[in-house]
Amino acid sequence: MAIGLGLFALTRAEGSDPVDLQMHRAVYDLSVDRVKAASEVEGLDGRMVVEWRGGPACEGYTSEQRVVTRSSDEANAISVSDVRLTSFESLDGHEFRFDRVEYADGKPSLRQSGHVYRKGGRVVLEEEGKEPAELPGDVLFPTAFNVALLQAARDGKTVFSNTLFDGTQSTATYVTAFIGKRATAPADARKVRIRNRGAGAALDNASPWHVHVSYFDQDDRGNDETPSFEMGFAMFPNGVMSALTLDYDDMVLKGDLTQIEYFKPGAC
C-alpha cells in the first residue's frame, strides 16, 4: 500500500478528475503581523521565493525555495537569515532528494543533503554523515502532499492529515490541515500580475479555499501537543497559494503574493 501512495496522490482518486498543479514561480513579501510576548525581535522584513517545475514529461518534480529575512532586536542589532532548499521528487513517489543550506549574516551555518527511497515496503532516509533512518510507510513528499490536500478540498473534506517529509527536518512531520469554505480571492491575488498568464488560469476571479495547517513532530503524532509550526493560506484550484500567515514561536509573519510567473505544462 505504501509503495504506490505517491503515485496514487499525484493522479486521481477513483471517480474524480485528475488534479493538475500549476507549475510556477511565486514571490511573497514577508512582514510582521504580530510579535508574541516572548519575542526578542523588534522588527522583521523579507522575501520568500517558491518555484515548482516538472510533470510526467520530466519524470518528476523539482522545487526551489528561498527565504531571506532581515530582523532587528531591542538593541537595533541587525541579523540576516538566508535559507535555501532544493528538491527532486519522482513521479511515482518512490524517491525524494533534497539539499538545504542556511546562511547567518552571510556565513554558512548549516548544510543538509539527503535521499529518501521506498523499497521492499520500507521508506529509508539517507543523509550524509548519518546512519540510515526509516520513515513512516504512509509518508508523502511535498508535491504528492499538495496534490492530496487539493484533492481533499475538491472532495469537500474539511480535514486532511498525513505524514510529510520535505527536507526541512531530519525526520517526518505529522500534518493536519483544516480546510475552510471557498471564498473570493484575497487582495494580493487580485492585484498581482501574472507573467506568462496564457500558461494557466487567472486568480482574481477564482474561489480559493482558506486552509490552516498545523505541523507536529513525528513523536507527537496523536498526542495533544502544541504544533511546532502553523501556517495559513488561500489555496487556489490550481495549487497556487496567497495571503500566507506563518506562525512561529515568537511571532506571526504574513506573506503577500507580489510576483508570479506561470510555466507551461511539462516545462522541466
Side-chain angles (χ1 to χ4, degrees):
M1 179 177 176
I3 292 298
L5 189 56
L7 178 61
F8 177 84
L10 285 171
T11 52
R12 70 181 73 185
E14 187 173 351
S16 65
D17 294 328
V19 171
D20 294 319
L21 291 180
Q22 172 67 58
M23 298 296 104
H24 66 281
R25 180 179 186 270
V27 179
Y28 302 88
D29 283 353
L30 303 177
S31 59
V32 176
D33 182 60
R34 176 168 56 91
V35 175
K36 299 181 181 180
S39 176
E40 297 180 355
V41 176
E42 287 291 303
L44 182 146
D45 59 71
R47 176 167 287 187
M48 177 168 66
V49 181
V50 180
E51 181 175 307
W52 298 91
R53 291 181 182 267
C58 312
E59 299 184 352
Y61 297 84
T62 59
S63 172
E64 295 187 14
Q65 302 177 48
R66 185 178 183 185
V67 181
V68 178
T69 57
R70 180 177 182 272
S71 61
S72 60
D73 60 18
E74 296 177 350
N76 290 323
I78 304 297
S79 299
V80 178
S81 170
D82 185 350
V83 179
R84 308 175 190 184
L85 177 66
T86 60
S87 65
F88 168 79
E89 180 177 342
S90 65
L91 192 66
D92 59 9
H94 289 184
E95 185 176 15
F96 180 69
R97 297 181 181 274
F98 66 94
D99 186 55
R100 175 185 172 95
V101 182
E102 297 185 7
Y103 296 87
D105 296 325
K107 299 179 180 179
S109 59
L110 175 69
R111 175 151 197 170
Q112 293 179 324
S113 297
H115 175 212
V116 186
Y117 58 90
R118 301 181 191 271
K119 186 176 182 180
R122 301 172 62 219
V123 184
V124 179
L125 165 63
E126 294 180 343
E127 287 189 274
E128 187 176 348
K130 297 183 180 180
E131 291 293 322
E134 192 160 343
L135 299 180
D138 67 345
V139 68
L140 290 177
F141 306 129
T143 307
F145 183 91
N146 290 343
V147 172
L149 173 59
L150 189 56
Q151 184 68 63
R154 285 174 40 167
D155 290 344
K157 296 180 180 179
T158 58
V159 179
F160 171 75
S161 297
N162 209 94
T163 308
L164 168 69
F165 184 84
D166 60 6
T168 61
Q169 299 186 71
S170 293
T171 186
T173 302
Y174 187 67
V175 183
T176 296
F178 298 93
I179 306 169
K181 295 181 180 180
R182 300 185 73 167
T184 57
D188 60 343
R190 294 197 305 270
K191 293 188 299 182
V192 71
R193 181 176 178 273
I194 301 175
R195 185 177 179 185
N196 198 20
R197 163 67 181 82
L203 300 178
D204 54 354
N205 58 0
S207 299
W209 294 270
H210 288 278
V211 181
H212 185 88
V213 184
S214 297
Y215 298 78
F216 297 87
D217 293 337
Q218 183 59 34
D219 293 341
D220 295 334
R221 180 173 181 169
N223 297 328
D224 294 329
E225 296 291 336
T226 302
S228 58
F229 174 66
E230 294 182 272
M231 180 177 181
F233 48 85
M235 180 176 67
F236 287 84
N238 61 0
V240 172
M241 300 176 184
S242 78
L244 309 183
T245 58
L246 311 173
D247 192 342
Y248 297 95
D249 290 337
D250 55 352
M251 69 176 62
V252 178
L253 303 181
K254 61 179 181 179
D256 293 325
L257 179 64
T258 56
Q259 300 177 42
I260 187 166
E261 178 182 0
Y262 283 172
F263 302 134
K264 293 181 179 179
C268 302

